[in-house]
Amino acid sequence: MSNQHAPPAMLPIPPPAQFDGVFDEDTRGGDTPPDGGYGWVCVAACFTINFFTWGTVSAYGIYLSHYLADDIFPEASTWDYAFIGGLNFAIAMLLAPSITVLCRKLGTHTTMCIGLLLQLSGFLGASFSTRIWQLHISQGVLVGAGIGFLYIPCLPVLSQWFDKKRSLANGISAAGSGAGGTAFAWGTEAIIQRLGISWALRITGIIAFTANTVATVFIRDRNKAIRPSQLGFDTRLLRRYEVLLLLAWVFVSMLGYVVLLFSLSNFALSIGLSRSQATDMIGLLNVGTAVGRPIIGIFSDRWSRMDTAGALTLACGVSCFAFWLPATGYGLTVFFVILCGAIVGVFWMTIGPLCVEVAGIKNLQSLLSLSWAAVIIPATVSEGIALKLRRPGSSREYLYTQIFAGLSYIIASGFMFQLRRVRQQQVQQQHQVQQ
């Protein structure tokens, strides 16, 4: 990727720290990020948190395909099963404002310890569930809450430690969800085949608890130096047009993201692929994620973070039409899955740096809370919509679902490019004032 791919007449936007203006107070309020040092230990810790939180969620597609095929809970509908995966995201994001406040009052480590217990209890509870509502509470609500209490406190940490390498650090960290999704996709299927779903849930919970405990011990924030606002829901930010554009990008792109994350395994079964090949789709999607996110982080730091987010969002939407729509066999589906995996989660690896560019480092956690709120509705309903759009018995069962996912990403890219244009105008106006 290079500057030749940037939209015409658009120049790369420097991060706020590179120019004087309305964001100076935010970017210079704390001491300068060291761009390394102990920050790399925090990168490793955040990578681990992503591995054993979102990585476990990424494997829900494996559980979903078994739930749908094996009729484990006879009273459950397809919406009930889709609802569980959405709850993982929705509950984590719904609790984000409260978690942000708790971080301010209790500290990062204490808040994350709550998450350790919630996630473990969720997986263990799910393993003993006999009714669908019990699965909603355990694998849905409790696991989602645990992920929120672990992920939300650690996400702002890397932006506190890094400036010039901020996107790279966040990209490496975000790759943890891909690496975790890869391991848990194939690992979960193997355990289910040998020991059953219940033991797969128990083993996942115990392993995640152990690894996340180690990561929690080593994570360290710089809140004392930066003194972030850490407001649970700062509505003053909603008065800014660029903030609304960012949140619109979050909302619409998440509609497509959840569909791709959870639907590919069952899509593979719908086109006649085997159970093992369907599992490959989830694993390969996460392989693409693990490899692609650090590379995207490097380009994002060297190019423009907004250009990168907009271009990759658009590319994901176009690839749905160009490669997923005509996919009827293993080969093209694998190609799409790997390509899509590298770019599908552009939100997760860019949202931290983008929030800093839009609102400044002091308002990072407050704007992140608004971003999490924007995720709640699409995360909850998108997979349910995707399953309702299916045409069972048709030769193209997932046709409308594919169109829905592709359009979501294409529309979302429009919001990001508009945000990029607005920020460019702000930079030009500031330069004119200085002259």
Side-chain angles (χ1 to χ4, degrees), residues 7 9-13 304 307 420 424 428:
M10 290 186 178
L11 300 174
I13 297 175
S304 160
D307 280 345
R420 192 246 181 263
Q424 184 182 31
Q428 292 173 344

Side-chain angles (χ1 to χ4, degrees), residues 394-407:
S394 169
S395 59
R396 302 287 300 276
E397 180 178 343
Y398 271 83
L399 175 63
Y400 295 137
T401 301
Q402 294 164 319
I403 295 173
F404 173 75
L407 286 178

Side-chain angles (χ1 to χ4, degrees), residues 115-174:
L116 293 171
L117 297 176
L118 286 171
Q119 187 187 29
L120 176 63
S121 62
F123 278 113
L124 293 181
S127 72
F128 293 102
S129 295
T130 57
R131 302 289 299 275
I132 190 63
W133 66 265
Q134 296 169 345
L135 205 64
H136 284 158
I137 294 174
S138 55
Q139 195 172 8
V141 175
L142 287 178
V143 170
I147 289 172
F149 272 85
L150 286 164
Y151 175 75
I152 300 301
C154 76
L155 183 62
V157 169
L158 297 185
S159 292
Q160 296 176 349
W161 281 96
F162 293 90
D163 181 14
K164 295 180 180 179
K165 300 176 182 177
R166 182 172 291 149
S167 291
L168 173 61
N170 279 273
I172 295 173
S173 169

Side-chain angles (χ1 to χ4, degrees), residues 161-202:
W161 281 96
F162 293 90
D163 181 14
K164 295 180 180 179
K165 300 176 182 177
R166 182 172 291 149
S167 291
L168 173 61
N170 279 273
I172 295 173
S173 169
S177 65
T182 301
F184 281 107
W186 280 306
T188 297
E189 181 62 31
I191 296 172
I192 290 175
Q193 294 296 335
R194 290 167 176 77
L195 302 175
I197 288 180
S198 295
W199 273 107
L201 290 164
R202 291 166 198 155

Side-chain angles (χ1 to χ4, degrees), residues 327-351:
T328 56
Y330 185 75
L332 185 56
T333 306
V334 165
F335 175 80
F336 167 74
V337 162
I338 295 175
L339 172 65
C340 185
I343 58 179
V344 67
V346 61
F347 162 77
W348 299 105
M349 62 157 296
T350 58
I351 187 60

